[in-house]
Amino acid sequence: MLTIMSRLPLHTLPVFRTAARLQNLRATAVEMHLTHSAVSQQIGVLEQQLGFVLFERRGRRIVLNEAGQALLCSVESALAQLDVGVLAAAATATGVAQRLRLTVMPSFLQRWLLPRMQRWRQRHPDIALELHSSQQVMDLQRDGFHAALRQGRGGWSGLSDERLFDSPLVVVASPATARRLQGGGAAALVHEPLLGDADLWDLWFSEAGLTVRTNPVASFNDAGLMLQAAEQGLGIALGREFMVADALRDGLLVQLSEQRLAPDADYSSYFLVYPPSLCDWAPLQALRSWLHDEVCALQASAAAAAEETPARKPRRKKAP
């Protein structure tokens, strides 16, 4: 085994990892910017050096066998550790701030993360965050990200995840809309312009004791845009409680009802996600600690506000 390890062709391991994920040599060649024959040759060299095959050929697909699956676990961990080492070495050699690449959903970035970035910089001026906004679930290792903020159930394959918070849906509108509807209850919303998903609105009305088939005036692929539309008085929105917390505090939105709609299980929670090999990397540890502190501060603020104003009502304009 020692002889095998000392002569293991390390340059073939990234190709092996990519081929294991894509299960296709041609697709691997495209992603790695190699020729098809070069990919096939590198995998052949690796198998020859090890003395056993790693893939089963099934037509145009290649699938890891048990030996390949065992090797992949170690290869992914080892390559991730090398990435961490390179990051640390580069920071030491250049003396520049360390950089953490984070991919995050646009609505989360706009409504929650950006308003708190000044506190991050004050706490960690030596760690630069490189933020990538996308609706797509990115492959962290393939696309070069250290961590992600994701919405879902958790349990992403090959990644560690830490739950940040759960967030029910609440009904919000602009202050002008709220003043006009004050005291009307759920029935007053039936004929109002609604924003967002019709099924969620139907469920919200059902839990309020009303049978309604809603037809929202606009739907959005991004919750941040929907909340902007609500702030501008274009309609009433069902928004995640944590995403509207700042707007409620600043008076940009008003919560119209204490009734909350529990989100479905697939989208109920928000997580910090990262490769297990980066768990002890100092910049990631700093991000984890800061995020949890920010969540605790938000929850404490919301609890205090609820005690002061049990029923959120729009402020009345003072008489001139």
Side-chain angles (χ1 to χ4, degrees), residues 7-211:
R7 297 174 56 191
L8 187 67
L10 298 179
H11 69 283
T12 66
L13 298 184
V15 172
F16 163 71
R17 179 178 64 179
T18 304
R21 174 170 52 82
L22 297 179
Q23 300 186 355
N24 184 283
L25 294 180
R26 196 169 299 280
T28 301
V30 171
E31 182 162 315
M32 300 293 293
H33 303 289
L34 297 171
T35 64
H36 180 278
S37 60
V39 169
S40 181
Q41 182 181 24
Q42 288 196 31
I43 291 176
V45 167
L46 178 59
E47 291 179 329
Q48 183 178 10
Q49 186 62 46
L50 292 173
F52 48 82
V53 297
L54 302 168
F55 293 94
E56 296 178 4
R57 273 66 176 177
R58 299 179 183 175
R60 294 183 179 181
R61 294 177 61 222
I62 55 171
V63 181
L64 285 175
N65 58 24
E66 291 186 3
Q69 291 173 354
L71 179 62
L72 180 63
C73 293
S74 296
V75 165
E76 287 184 329
S77 177
L79 291 178
Q81 289 284 7
L82 285 172
D83 288 341
V84 173
V86 170
L87 288 168
T92 301
T94 61
V96 300
Q98 297 191 76
R99 183 171 297 273
L100 191 155
R101 299 193 71 222
L102 178 67
T103 178
V104 56
M105 294 172 294
S107 57
F108 193 110
L109 178 62
Q110 175 195 12
R111 305 293 303 197
W112 196 86
L113 190 59
L114 284 181
R116 291 161 174 78
M117 286 304 301
Q118 186 62 33
R119 291 200 289 273
W120 164 263
R121 294 200 60 181
Q122 291 171 351
R123 184 162 162 176
H124 297 289
D126 58 332
I127 304 176
L129 283 185
E130 183 177 331
L131 300 172
H132 175 270
S133 173
S134 176
Q135 297 277 12
Q136 303 299 317
V137 176
M138 309 299 290
D139 185 311
L140 300 188
Q141 292 182 328
R142 181 193 66 194
D143 298 317
F145 293 105
H146 303 117
L149 292 170
R150 291 183 180 173
Q151 182 181 3
R153 292 173 178 244
W156 288 275
S157 177
L159 297 172
S160 296
D161 58 61
E162 297 182 18
R163 187 189 303 269
L164 296 176
F165 44 69
D166 301 325
S167 190
L169 295 160
V170 295
V171 176
V172 293
S174 69
T177 301
R179 284 191 293 270
R180 180 168 54 79
L181 296 175
Q182 187 172 7
L189 307 185
V190 172
H191 300 295
E192 290 293 315
L194 304 178
L195 305 173
D197 185 86
D199 291 338
L200 289 176
W201 273 114
D202 290 349
L203 183 57
W204 186 87
F205 279 114
S206 175
E207 293 191 2
L210 299 172
T211 302

